[in-house]
Amino acid sequence: MSDQYDCLEVASLLPELAVGAAAGDERGRALAHVSRCVHCRRELGSFAATADAVLLLVPPVEPPPGFETATLARLGGARPTGPDVPVPARRPRWRARRLLAVAVAAAAALLIALGGGAALTHWRGADDRELADQYRRTLAVANGRYLKAAPLTSADGQRVGTSFLYQGNPSWLLVTVTGAPDGGDYAVLVIDRRGGAHRLGVGQITNHVGTAGFRLPVRVRDVAQVQLRSTDDTTVTPAILTSTL
Amino acid sequence: MGLSDEALVAGMAAGDAQAAAGFVRRFQARVYGLALSIVGVSATAEDVAQEAFTRAWRFADGYDPRRAGVAPWLLAITRNAAIDAVRLRRDRPYEPGVLLAMLTRVDEGGSRHDDEIAEVDRVRTALRGLPVEQATAVVLAIFHGWTAKEIAEREGVPLGTTKTRIRLGMSRLRDHFEVRDE
C-alpha cells in the first residue's frame, strides 16, 4: 500500500512533488518511495532547489512604515526552539473523542506502557529493559517505529497539555489538552521544518480539557511544531497553543 | 557588509535579538515583496511577512546551509505562509500572466548579493525561454499552491497535459539552473 512505485514512475512525479502540485494518494506513494530511495531523494532535492530559485525572481518591495518594529515586537512574543517550561497542569478530566479511534486506542496503550511517554532513547536497568521491550512490542502491533512527545504550551509559556506523535503506518498525532485557557473548537495544524503548515482538522475543548487524534501527513521527524489555533484564522495570528519539537 | 546571512540565522537560533533585528532588516523587502506577489493585498502581505519571520525565528535552529541558502529558505517559508493565507481568505491572487510579467522583468537588484543577482538572471532567462503554457503551470503551482488537478481545471485542459507541462517546465528550468547539491 505504501510503496508501489518504482524509480521510473516516481521520476515523472518529482517535478510535481517539488512544486507542491502532486496530490492525494499519488503524492503519498511517491513520497514513500522517495523516503527509501537515495537517487530519487537527490533528484527531488534538485527540483525543489529549482522551485525555490524561482521565488528569488520576485522583486523586493519595501514594506509599509512600522513593519520592522511590528515584526520585532511579534518576535519578542515568539519563543525560539528551546527547552520547554514545565508547569503543573490542571487535574485532567478525560472526555474521549472518537476522531481516530484506533490510533487513540493504540496511543493510550503505548502511553500506559511508557508511564506517560517522554524521551525514549536510553534504557537503563532491568525495569527499563522491560519497559523498552514492552515499548518495542507495542510499536510492532501497529507497525510503529517511534513515538515522540512534547509539552503543549499557551502563549505565555504555561503548560496546558501534551502532543504525542507516532511514526508508523499510519503515522498520527494525538493532542491532549488539560488546562486550555478557553474552550471551543480549535484548528489543529502541524508546521513542517520548511515552514509549511498542514491543517489536520478541528478538535474540541470543553471545560479546559480535550483530546483529539489525527493522521499525520508528514513524517514525525519533519514536524517542527504542533499548533492549535482559532478556527477563524489559522495563519496570520499567533497560535493559541503550541508544541515545539 | 556585517554578518553573513548564515551568521544571522545562527544568532537567531541562539535567541539573539540583535541578530533577529538584523535579519528582519536585511530581508524584509524580499519577504514582503514575495508575500505581496502571492496574496496581492498589502495588509494581508504585511501579516504574512510577519508570520514568515516568526516561523524563521522559531525554526532557525533547523536551518541547514548545505540544503539551501538563507534567502531561498526564508522565501520558501514565506511562500508557504502566503499560500496558507490565500486558501484561508479566498483572496484572488494575481493572474498568472501578471505574475509572469513581474517575474521576467529585470529589476535593479535591490538588496540582493552579487552572486544572487547572477543566479536570478539565470533563472529569469530560463523562465522566459519556456513556452507560456509550461511557465503558467509552473508559476500557478509555485506561487498559488495549486495542484495539477486545480491547474488543469483552470486552464481547461486534461490533467495529463498539465502534468506534462509541469514536468517539462521544471526540467528545463533545472537544466538552466545550476542546482546546489548536497
Side-chain angles (χ1 to χ4, degrees), chain A residues 13-14 22 57 70 90 132 137 163 192 234 236 238:
Chain A
L13 284 170
L14 291 176
L57 293 178
R90 298 179 192 204
R137 275 187 277 123
S163 296
D192 65 37
T234 56
V236 293

Side-chain angles (χ1 to χ4, degrees), chain A residues 15 18-19 46-56, chain B residues 138 142-143 170 173 177:
Chain A
V19 298
S46 162
F47 277 116
T50 303
D52 287 350
V54 175
L55 298 175
L56 296 171
Chain B
V138 167
I142 293 178
F143 287 86
M170 282 298 292
L173 283 180
F177 174 63

Side-chain angles (χ1 to χ4, degrees), chain A residues 11-13 15-16 18-23 26 42-68 70-72 74-82 189 191-199 224-225 227 229 231-239 242 244, chain B residues 12-13 15 20-21 24-25 28-30 32-34 36-37 42 46-51 53-55 57-59 61 68 71-73 75-77 79-81 84-85 88-89 102-103 107 109-112 116 119-120 123-124 127 138 141-143 145-149 163 166-167 170-171 173-174 177 179-181:
Chain A
S12 66
L13 284 170
E16 276 182 65
V19 298
E26 191 174 59
R42 193 176 296 135
E43 281 289 289
L44 178 58
S46 162
F47 277 116
T50 303
D52 287 350
V54 175
L55 298 175
L56 296 171
L57 293 178
V58 176
V61 177
E62 285 302 325
F67 175 83
E68 184 181 325
T71 304
L72 291 175
R74 188 158 158 181
L75 294 190
R79 285 183 323 123
T81 309
L189 296 92
I191 310 297
D192 65 37
R193 299 205 179 275
R194 285 172 63 90
H198 308 265
R199 184 177 162 131
Q225 205 168 58
Q227 297 183 349
R229 292 175 171 271
T231 49
D232 300 331
D233 186 347
T234 56
T235 304
V236 293
T237 54
T242 307
T244 300
Chain B
M12 285 204 305
V24 171
R25 203 164 300 132
Q28 60 182 351
R30 311 280 302 282
Y32 178 74
L34 176 57
L36 187 61
S37 74
S42 172
E46 204 174 337
D47 282 341
V48 165
Q50 286 184 9
E51 170 68 13
F53 279 116
T54 305
R55 290 184 189 181
W57 166 250
R58 283 200 173 112
F59 307 146
D61 70 337
W73 172 72
L75 293 179
I77 289 174
R79 177 242 184 207
N80 291 333
D84 292 343
L88 203 68
R89 292 162 186 257
M102 183 197 296
L103 298 176
D107 63 55
S111 55
R112 302 182 200 279
E116 195 184 306
E119 187 173 305
V120 165
V123 182
R124 183 183 292 117
L127 190 62
V138 167
I142 293 178
F143 287 86
W146 287 6
T147 64
K149 184 166 176 281
K163 285 171 162 284
I166 292 172
R167 181 164 46 81
M170 282 298 292
S171 298
L173 283 180
R174 188 177 67 154
F177 174 63
V179 175
R180 223 181 312 264
D181 193 5

